Amino acid sequence: MRLELHGITKRFGALTANDRIDLDLRPGEIHGLLGENGAGKSTLMNILYGLYQADEGRVLLDGEEQHFTGPGDAMRAGIGMVHQHFMLVPVFTVAENLMLGHEQARLGFLDLPAARARVREISARFGFDIDPDALVEDLPVGVQQRVEIIKALSRDAQVLVFDEPTAVLTPQETDELMAIMRQLKESGTAIVFITHKLREVREVADRITVIRLGKVVGEAEPTASNSELASLMVGRSVELTVDRTPSAGGDTGLVVEGLTVLDARGHTVVDDVGFSVRRGEILAIAGVQGNGQTELTEAILGLQEHVTGRIELDGRPLTGLPTRRVLHAGVGFVPEDRQEDALVAEFSIAENLMLDRSDGAPFVKGAGLQRRALATFASEKVREFDVRAQSIETAVGRLSGGNQQKVVLARELSRDLRLFVAAQPTRGLDVGSIEFVHERVVATRDAGVPVVVISTELDEVVALADRIAVMYRGRIVGIVPGDTSRDVLGLMMAGEVPEGTRMAA
Amino acid sequence: MTAVRAEPATTGAVAMQRPGLKVPIALGVFALLAVLLLALLAPAGTSTFSLSASGSGAVQLPQIPLHARTTGIVVSLLAVLMAIGSGLLVRAGRRVPLWYTVVFAVILVVGFLAWATAGHTLPVTGLLESALALSAPLIFGALGGVVSERVGVVNIAIEGQLLAGACVSAVVASITQNLVVGLIGALVAGVLVSFVLAAFSIKYVVNQVIVGVVLNVLVLGLTTFFYETVLVNASDTLNSPPRFANLPIPGLSLIPVVGPVLFDQSVITYLMYVAVVAVFVGLYRTRWGLRVRAVGEHPQAADTVGIDVGRTRFWNVALAGAIVGIGGAYFTLGSVGAFSQNMTSGAGYIALAAVIFGGWDPLRASLAGLLFGFASSLQNTLGILGSPVPSDVLLTLPYVVTIFAVAGLVGRVRGPAAAGRPYLKG
């Protein structure tokens, strides 16, 4: 089935999310849709899928104009979608999820055996091993994604949209997904592959369309180089590698030993973790989301309740200290969810910059705020960290993600640090901001501070790390040198250490 | 109550759970109470448990005399043994099964009855029969609550729907002198209350708990006003509906004990049987149920497979109102035969408790309703017999049972994930 989008325009208030976008897709083709977060990729696909209605433009299937008023229409027309956040009901079985919305039923009674058979049939076609009666919430993420794919295929989707499908996968699962996409392509399905990851789109796509700020800015062949694609995507030439000299390597700063963290239900989420970080060194903690990295950083900051083990900074124990004293000990922290944990959206930039210094000089005297001192400080930091905002009184919630993260960095890096912990420091940021954040992290290291970077993005880990600790199911699988190959890291992220891997701890 | 409702999953998860210990402790406390009250403070005298319904029934069963002190000693001994047993089970790392707690509770109840009715004859069949009848509005209310919450709308307005159903059915049945039309009136009244709830909570995304509470107060005010200004002066024409007579089912109603309890009831109770089975089967076996549950668990997923979330919620909240409305008719057409102000007196909230106690499952919520109905019936019976417990204390019995059931025995139950959360597209 041939799909064409002509002049699709979608506005949200003053913002034009899609501006006269054209796109065409042929059967048996994988079309990469490349763009940064917020470029308008997902909006476009939601229009195609009937979740949004376009303000202008036409959707053609085999030359016939379509008017989708909801996802049901799009599905009937043969368009399927594998969502970034899976659209599966966690407490339903695989078979129930598969049949939801187009149930086979006799007199209203569900025909579950037919749904089970359908799951088995499609699974067999792709060599999946999926139990139709398993509850979706019990399945690993990679398998849930396959359920999403089966769900789309069970409605005879001719056009399949993958929306950032690799965000939640290990590198191995990503490879398997790409194999599945090629197999679908062989069988004649047309695929739209939405991503912001250059390597993946080059590996699997037949053609690439690049979107920036709601507009199509160019088409590219998969043979194009990373930097060509990146400059198309960002609109200027960008450095994809971080400039850094090898670590000087000073005295040991942070020591963690036998750290175990239990969650509220008593499950072990960090399991006997130990590592040390020298001054002037970046230790990256790699791993798929949800393998204990979040709890590990929170334990260092004193934000977790059930912590045993030893955390020492410059020979002084941090374990069991309240968060305020941990901060006073010279720990800078960039939380992984900046809107939830790092900033107060309704507060101004200036107020956010003093959030961790509300207990005394220079911004508080007696019970009163020293507004003038704060304004001077804020203006200085806004300039230094290149925060693009109308004034220091602008509410942080109205800034872009990149500028929000700059505010967080400005706050955390303008104290005398003895340790810097950055969790997912570039998540959801545009390439330009990523560059800026990475430079700052490296500069902090070069100033002789021990740095811990937690990241699920292998690119980021490889770009920044002097040493890499890989976490899997709450444990550290191994600590390896910063130049370890991606394949080895990928295997370690799935809990395996290949024979002959060099360790660095 | 509302705080528990708002985030059932999180409150459960945050509390550190020491699995199992809660049950042995609770059983132990009750066993000690049994020793104190039933054995040591036992009155002299004998209680007679009468198993045959007076007059009816082909087979006459013997009356069972229970000596109060002997029964008290036996029961409290059993209770202590069972409490110790549950402690041992937990120490061995096993969970205390539900049937264990149920058997414990039944033994205690028998002991309590023998104690409280010493020197009297206790009509066991009558007690159970009225328990079932009294639980009808609770079960209808709970079923409506289950349907509404399963589709994602918290239904605090059960009380208002019951009251509206009671008032409208009385008036309609009085005017038409037709019970079926009265029942339909109750159903319509429940649906109308639901429409308001649905419109505000789905279309205008007002907080569902607040809309529910406000509706309860509104319905109470309206019916009270209507009662005092109109019904009191025209009670002959507007507030004297016919009543549903008991309709014994031939054959089945002759079975000893079970027959009169289950099969010599009014049409409303029979409708209740049908409703419980229909909601249970419907929720888990049909297309309707699958969609309802999907919308209440993950509305966005339902939307992406072409299910209209808003419409599904709206009509199922209306359906819930219809179910609850029928329950409201019990108060007038099934029981007293006339409407009086605030005659539901909190039954809707107890039904809400049954929804949670039953873990949002129609069958278990109905059993919870039955338990609360039994407590009410017990309170009535003991009041009539003149037990040693003061009547004001007896009046609190159903509510005490509710609190213990919901707070003590429920533990962590997971409700529909999206209940209480409005669904906004995009």
Side-chain angles (χ1 to χ4, degrees):
Chain A
M1 190 158 57
R2 191 183 167 89
L3 169 74
E4 292 163 277
L5 301 178
H6 284 308
I8 300 287
T9 300
K10 176 73 182 173
R11 299 183 195 88
F12 295 106
L15 176 83
T16 306
N18 285 165
D19 189 0
R20 282 161 295 161
I21 289 187
D22 295 326
L23 192 76
D24 76 311
L25 186 63
R26 290 181 282 265
E29 174 187 62
I30 300 180
H31 194 134
L33 194 57
L34 187 66
E36 299 210 89
N37 292 303
K41 298 167 296 188
S42 293
T43 306
L44 184 65
M45 288 305 121
N46 282 333
I47 288 170
L48 173 61
Y49 197 58
L51 280 167
Y52 295 156
Q53 267 72 52
D55 297 324
E56 290 161 32
R58 298 186 300 156
V59 176
L60 302 179
L61 278 176
D62 286 334
E64 265 181 65
E65 185 161 354
Q66 307 288 324
H67 297 279
F68 298 149
T69 55
D73 295 344
M75 274 180 312
R76 269 187 291 280
I79 297 173
M81 193 148 174
V82 176
H83 298 265
Q84 182 178 4
H85 305 287
F86 305 142
M87 290 301 159
L88 299 171
V89 181
V91 296
F92 281 12
T93 64
V94 173
E96 284 175 327
N97 267 295
L98 178 94
M99 69 199 307
L100 183 66
H102 69 148
E103 303 86 351
Q104 276 182 297
R106 274 185 300 254
L107 299 170
F109 284 85
L110 297 172
D111 187 359
L112 269 172
R116 288 195 194 102
R118 194 104 175 92
V119 173
R120 289 208 188 87
E121 179 216 326
I122 301 173
S123 301
R125 218 193 300 160
F126 290 90
F128 299 165
D129 180 25
I130 292 176
D131 173 12
D133 293 318
L135 282 184
V136 163
E137 62 184 351
D138 296 338
L139 298 175
V141 190
V143 180
Q144 290 191 14
Q145 189 170 58
R146 291 173 181 191
V147 176
E148 276 269 272
I149 296 172
I150 291 180
K151 197 173 111 183
L153 293 177
S154 77
R155 288 149 197 252
D156 304 312
Q158 309 282 306
V159 175
L160 209 48
V161 180
F162 285 82
D163 187 6
E164 299 275 5
T166 60
V168 290
L169 302 183
T170 64
Q172 267 69 29
E173 285 174 326
T174 302
D175 289 344
E176 286 167 23
L177 174 68
M178 292 194 174
I180 294 168
M181 285 166 74
R182 290 200 191 92
Q183 205 181 338
L184 284 166
K185 174 178 123 173
E186 300 300 319
S187 63
T189 310
I191 293 177
V192 182
F193 177 30
I194 303 177
T195 187
H196 65 275
K197 292 184 184 172
L198 305 174
R199 207 159 32 81
E200 290 169 3
V201 78
R202 283 177 53 219
E203 194 179 321
V204 79
D206 299 310
R207 281 190 300 153
I208 301 169
T209 297
V210 185
I211 294 187
R212 171 164 26 103
L213 298 175
K215 284 185 189 150
V216 172
V217 289
E219 289 222 357
E221 295 298 315
T223 48
S225 74
N226 268 351
S227 52
E228 281 167 13
L229 287 176
S231 55
L232 260 180
M233 191 160 99
V234 183
R236 62 184 169 84
S237 68
V238 283
E239 284 294 324
L240 287 174
T241 49
V242 184
D243 252 345
R244 65 188 179 95
T245 50
S247 159
D251 314 337
T252 302
L254 175 73
V255 178
V256 174
E257 255 182 30
L259 187 75
T260 297
V261 181
L262 304 183
D263 70 4
R265 272 179 281 178
H267 298 304
T268 308
V269 281
V270 176
D271 191 359
D272 193 20
V273 160
F275 58 85
S276 64
V277 192
R278 288 191 294 277
R279 296 212 191 118
E281 181 192 45
I282 298 178
L283 175 77
I285 297 183
V288 179
Q289 180 73 31
N291 276 291
Q293 305 99 311
T294 311
E295 291 81 3
L296 172 62
T297 50
E298 289 183 352
I300 294 175
L301 263 292
L303 292 164
Q304 284 282 340
E305 262 187 70
H306 312 286
V307 180
T308 52
R310 201 162 62 92
I311 305 168
E312 263 182 22
L313 182 59
D314 297 333
R316 280 188 316 222
L318 290 185
T319 334
L321 290 187
T323 305
R324 180 185 294 275
R325 301 222 358 235
V326 173
L327 293 177
H328 276 244
V331 180
F333 178 46
V334 177
E336 75 180 37
D337 187 339
R338 66 183 152 268
Q339 272 138 8
E340 245 346 272
D341 298 328
L343 298 165
V344 182
E346 291 78 17
F347 279 19
S348 70
I349 294 173
E351 285 164 334
N352 271 292
L353 281 174
M354 63 157 288
L355 274 186
D356 57 346
R357 265 169 282 190
S358 58
D359 53 346
F363 305 129
V364 179
K365 199 166 149 191
L369 281 183
Q370 301 296 101
R371 300 212 66 105
R372 193 168 306 157
L374 178 59
T376 319
F377 174 77
S379 311
E380 197 183 299
K381 288 300 163 192
V382 162
R383 210 172 312 121
E384 186 188 335
F385 283 81
D386 189 31
V387 180
R388 308 277 170 82
Q390 285 179 320
S391 84
I392 57 164
E393 295 305 322
T394 307
V396 154
R398 291 171 53 195
L399 303 181
S400 72
N403 282 311
Q404 288 181 351
Q405 194 70 324
K406 285 175 184 173
V407 174
V408 177
L409 281 176
R411 181 180 69 213
E412 298 302 323
L413 293 178
S414 50
R415 284 180 290 137
D416 286 331
L417 292 189
R418 306 187 70 83
L419 170 68
F420 183 51
V421 179
Q424 309 286 359
T426 59
R427 172 177 287 175
L429 300 191
D430 53 282
V431 173
S433 304
I434 293 176
E435 250 183 310
F436 182 89
V437 172
H438 283 176
E439 277 166 20
R440 280 288 165 172
V441 170
V442 172
T444 308
R445 177 199 76 160
D446 292 343
V449 176
V451 177
V452 179
V453 173
I454 287 83
S455 182
T456 53
E457 299 272 339
L458 250 148
D459 291 319
E460 180 162 77
V461 168
V462 171
L464 290 177
D466 296 310
R467 286 187 302 144
I468 302 168
V470 183
M471 278 189 88
Y472 177 71
R473 299 207 172 154
R475 291 178 153 272
I476 287 189
V477 182
I479 301 180
V480 293
D483 57 2
T484 307
S485 76
R486 284 164 177 281
D487 294 340
V488 172
L489 290 173
L491 281 173
M492 289 175 74
M493 284 163 79
E496 288 173 51
V497 183
E499 295 261 336
T501 304
R502 268 185 315 136
M503 290 294 165
Chain B
M1 234 339 271
T2 47
V4 176
R5 263 302 306 122
E7 290 282 304
T10 14
T11 38
V14 169
M16 279 287 277
Q17 298 243 329
R18 249 189 244 121
L21 259 186
K22 207 158 72 176
V23 179
I25 291 174
L27 296 195
V29 169
F30 277 108
L32 281 180
L33 280 177
V35 171
L36 201 71
L37 195 70
L38 304 185
L40 299 180
L41 293 174
T46 303
S47 162
T48 313
F49 282 29
S50 154
L51 294 180
S52 295
S54 51
S56 74
V59 191
Q60 281 295 319
L61 292 165
Q63 310 227 327
I64 305 170
L66 287 175
H67 185 254
R69 186 162 292 151
T70 321
T71 316
I73 290 166
V74 170
V75 161
S76 47
L77 210 62
L78 277 175
V80 169
L81 285 176
M82 284 192 77
I84 293 170
S86 73
L88 291 178
L89 268 179
V90 170
R91 258 184 101 176
R94 303 244 308 272
R95 290 179 62 94
V96 181
L98 184 65
W99 64 260
Y100 196 92
T101 317
V102 172
V103 169
F104 182 86
V106 169
I107 290 174
L108 273 197
V109 167
V110 170
F112 175 73
L113 285 176
W115 175 82
T117 61
H120 301 275
T121 300
L122 177 74
V124 175
T125 317
L127 178 72
L128 295 178
E129 192 175 342
S130 101
L132 191 66
L134 284 171
S135 62
L138 302 179
I139 289 177
F140 275 112
L143 289 176
V146 166
V147 168
S148 178
E149 303 221 354
R150 276 299 181 114
V151 84
V153 178
V154 172
N155 192 358
I156 304 280
I158 298 174
E159 174 78 0
Q161 290 161 339
L162 283 176
L163 198 56
C167 181
V168 171
S169 63
V171 174
V172 170
S174 302
I175 295 170
T176 60
Q177 288 298 311
N178 184 328
L179 285 164
V180 176
V181 180
L183 214 51
I184 292 170
L187 188 147
V188 171
V191 171
L192 288 178
V193 177
S194 267
F195 277 164
V196 182
L197 173 67
F200 276 95
S201 58
I202 298 164
K203 178 98 170 102
Y204 301 107
V205 277
V206 183
N207 183 303
Q208 298 168 3
V209 173
I210 293 176
V211 180
V213 171
V214 167
L215 273 175
N216 287 343
V217 178
L218 176 74
V219 173
L220 176 61
L222 283 179
T223 50
T224 303
F225 172 76
F226 183 66
Y227 174 74
E228 283 178 349
T229 52
V230 181
L231 291 188
V232 169
N233 302 323
S235 62
D236 293 345
T237 49
L238 292 178
N239 199 12
S240 49
R243 282 177 51 189
F244 281 110
N246 278 10
L247 199 74
I249 295 179
L252 288 176
S253 62
L254 297 177
I255 305 169
V257 187
V258 178
V261 172
L262 294 181
F263 302 111
D264 186 8
Q265 295 276 5
S266 74
V267 170
I268 293 185
T269 310
Y270 297 139
L271 271 178
M272 177 185 87
Y273 299 159
V274 175
V276 171
V277 173
V279 173
F280 180 74
V281 173
L283 213 45
Y284 296 114
R285 294 271 177 276
T286 68
R287 181 194 337 238
W288 165 75
L290 191 73
R291 292 184 171 192
V292 163
R293 288 183 290 138
V295 166
E297 284 288 342
H298 196 334
Q300 220 184 341
D303 193 6
T304 55
V305 292
I307 297 171
D308 188 330
V309 173
R311 190 180 300 167
T312 308
R313 285 192 167 172
F314 190 92
W315 289 112
N316 280 294
V317 172
L319 172 68
I323 297 172
V324 182
I326 296 176
Y330 165 82
F331 290 99
T332 47
L333 308 187
S335 150
V336 187
F339 180 77
S340 62
Q341 65 183 62
N342 192 23
M343 71 186 310
T344 52
S345 61
Y349 297 107
I350 294 192
L352 196 59
V355 173
I356 298 164
F357 187 31
W360 288 267
D361 175 85
L363 216 52
R364 284 190 292 161
S366 300
L367 289 176
L370 214 49
L371 173 69
F372 300 146
F374 178 74
S376 303
S377 164
L378 195 59
Q379 167 234 316
N380 287 344
T381 311
L382 293 183
I384 294 165
L385 288 179
S387 80
V389 187
S391 64
D392 286 332
V393 176
L394 272 182
L395 279 176
T396 64
L397 190 62
Y399 309 96
V400 171
V401 170
T402 308
I403 289 175
F404 271 105
V406 173
L409 293 172
V410 174
R412 197 150 61 89
V413 205
R414 188 164 63 170
R421 294 205 203 129
Y423 177 64
L424 301 169
K425 267 195 169 192

